[in-house]
Amino acid sequence: MLAQEAARIIVDHGIRDYRVAKQKASERLGILGRGALPGNAEIETAVAAHLQIFGGEAHADHLRLLRVAALSAMEILAEFTPRLVGPVLAGTADHNSAVNLHVFADSPEVVAMELTQVGVSYRSYERRLKSRRGQVETYAGFEFRHNHTDIQATVFPVDGIRQAPMSPIDGKPMRRIDSEGVQELLL
């Protein structure tokens, strides 16, 4: 019940932080104590179920639009071997979700120069992600609008393509797919 309420909060209020959603859900349901909170994987499953039940065809259409925007942004960033990750890949994206890409370059500045060269206005950000060694590392990224969609491209070192950071959902390496994989999702 708590996972379902957290999923509703995530989808309806656009909260992407599962910890915050769990806390709000526990407050609403009057459940106290950290031991009673579901894991992130349970929340992710509940989000998928919520979107399937309440989103229906509209959710499927929106997910398709996000994946088309992802593919187009991946074409712009093709020289950086982009990979789609996150809710758009998992099928749990909602109207508040951005397309999350991992790109690989010698430096973030090279990606910034490419975006500028193709006429894309962007905002830089930093993202903290956990590595397999259990360390938290900070990566530069660029957020921009493309095809009426927010795109977030996080920049990893070139050799970072071989080792994905850990997923905050299940603690396993993040699932990543290339543009061919995105095209397969669109079939």
Side-chain angles (χ1 to χ4, degrees):
M1 187 166 63
L2 202 139
Q4 292 170 344
E5 179 63 13
R8 189 191 66 73
I9 290 169
I10 288 167
V11 173
D12 293 349
H13 300 286
I15 295 173
R16 296 311 306 171
D17 185 328
Y18 282 24
R19 182 184 52 81
V20 171
K22 287 187 268 189
Q23 289 172 339
K24 286 184 179 282
S26 68
E27 288 170 10
R28 286 186 183 170
L29 298 174
I31 299 172
L32 305 174
R34 290 181 52 89
L37 298 180
N40 288 350
E42 290 175 79
I43 302 296
E44 182 83 354
T45 300
V47 168
H50 182 91
L51 289 168
Q52 187 174 22
I53 293 167
F54 297 106
E57 201 61 37
H59 174 256
D61 291 343
H62 181 67
L63 189 58
R64 180 172 178 70
L65 289 174
L66 290 173
R67 288 173 173 168
V68 167
L71 190 58
S72 181
M74 291 170 88
E75 289 171 7
I76 291 171
L77 297 166
E79 74 178 271
F80 306 110
T81 324
R83 299 293 191 258
L84 177 64
V85 299
V88 175
L89 172 57
T92 57
D94 56 40
H95 288 284
N96 300 300
S97 298
V99 169
N100 294 290
L101 301 176
H102 288 178
V103 296
F104 306 89
D106 291 328
S107 73
E109 292 78 16
V110 176
V111 178
M113 288 188 321
E114 178 65 20
L115 290 171
T116 300
Q117 190 172 0
V118 296
V120 173
S121 296
Y122 60 85
R123 179 184 67 79
S124 59
Y125 66 84
E126 289 187 344
R127 178 150 298 145
R128 294 171 45 90
L129 297 166
K130 193 178 287 188
S131 71
R132 280 192 188 157
R133 295 179 301 280
Q135 299 171 324
V136 176
E137 298 182 35
T138 302
Y139 299 92
F142 303 97
E143 183 172 31
F144 57 94
R145 294 282 294 171
H146 181 69
N147 287 359
H148 309 289
T149 304
D150 290 327
I151 309 290
Q152 294 178 345
T154 303
V155 184
F156 292 83
V158 173
D159 65 349
I161 199 165
R162 289 180 274 144
Q163 187 172 357
M166 306 311 282
S167 167
I169 305 299
D170 60 12
K172 296 178 182 174
M174 284 185 182
R175 183 172 162 229
R176 296 171 163 166
I177 62 169
D178 61 14
S179 58
E180 288 180 13
V182 177
Q183 288 173 341
E184 289 175 20
L185 289 175
L186 292 170
L187 295 178

